[in-house]
Amino acid sequence: MDSVMGSEYYTHTGGGSNYLCLTNNPIYDKYESGWQGTAAIYGVEYQSASFPWFKNNIKNHDAPCAVCYVRSRGSQIMIPATNKCPSGWTREYHGYLMTSHYDHAHSSEYVCVDVDAEVVPGTHADTNGALLYVVQGDCGHGLPCKPYIHGYELTCVVCTK
């Protein structure tokens, strides 16, 4: 499935808060041409600095969307702060937990971005839109400092069963 990630603009205070998989082949039904100033959706861009843990340089590239489908395993879970699945589960991929910046106007869900993250080909324009940052643990504000380490980037894993 060819698709890109979409969400709300990072400085907007309204609109949706989740990330969506948008098709590269939209089909329109009835519409009114021109900007109506109601609600909008924007592309999602990797904004975090290029950490050496990612296979590719992803900063300022647009993010594609992936759907995990495994016919023989009907349950799927994303587990933050680990890169290992529980016993009896199969690891589909692992990477780093990402979301919008804590200081931006728009909150969003957490997503697990594969350590071998891909980019939308031909993008590297820093156009903003929705922005993804690697999540760090902030212990001392309800998150226990043991076992979490303040400022460390959190991993994640997607498992199926």
Side-chain angles (χ1 to χ4, degrees):
M1 177 170 116
D2 258 350
S3 59
V4 296
M5 287 180 77
S7 193
E8 185 59 58
Y9 198 80
Y10 78 102
T11 60
H12 291 174
T13 57
S17 64
N18 56 326
Y19 294 105
L20 299 173
C21 280
L22 300 173
T23 179
N24 282 337
N25 300 300
I27 298 172
Y28 297 98
D29 198 355
K30 296 179 182 177
Y31 59 89
E32 188 173 337
S33 324
W35 181 247
Q36 307 307 313
T38 56
I41 195 159
Y42 301 85
V44 176
E45 180 179 291
Y46 298 115
Q47 198 63 33
S48 285
S50 296
F51 292 106
W53 315 295
F54 286 109
K55 176 182 171 184
N56 300 309
N57 177 358
I58 62 174
K59 183 173 174 64
N60 293 330
H61 284 277
D62 293 344
C65 191
V67 175
C68 187
Y69 173 73
V70 181
R71 180 185 304 264
S72 62
R73 297 185 293 274
S75 298
Q76 176 183 316
I77 187 170
M78 186 274 283
I79 307 171
T82 187
N83 58 14
K84 296 182 180 179
C85 293
S87 179
W89 289 75
T90 301
R91 182 169 84 174
E92 298 300 332
Y93 69 91
H94 70 285
Y96 290 89
L97 194 63
M98 297 184 88
T99 193
S100 59
H101 193 277
Y102 74 90
D103 200 22
H104 286 169
H106 188 260
S107 295
S108 60
E109 65 187 324
Y110 293 94
V111 294
C112 186
V113 175
D114 195 320
V115 70
D116 293 331
E118 296 181 15
V119 300
V120 175
T123 64
H124 191 245
D126 195 17
T127 57
N128 294 324
L131 304 176
L132 284 173
Y133 290 83
V134 176
V135 175
Q136 300 176 43
D138 184 355
C139 70
H141 291 94
L143 186 67
C145 289
K146 289 190 180 181
Y148 290 91
I149 300 172
H150 186 77
Y152 275 34
E153 287 73 22
L154 295 177
T155 57
C156 57
V157 64
V158 173
C159 309
T160 58
K161 183 174 184 177

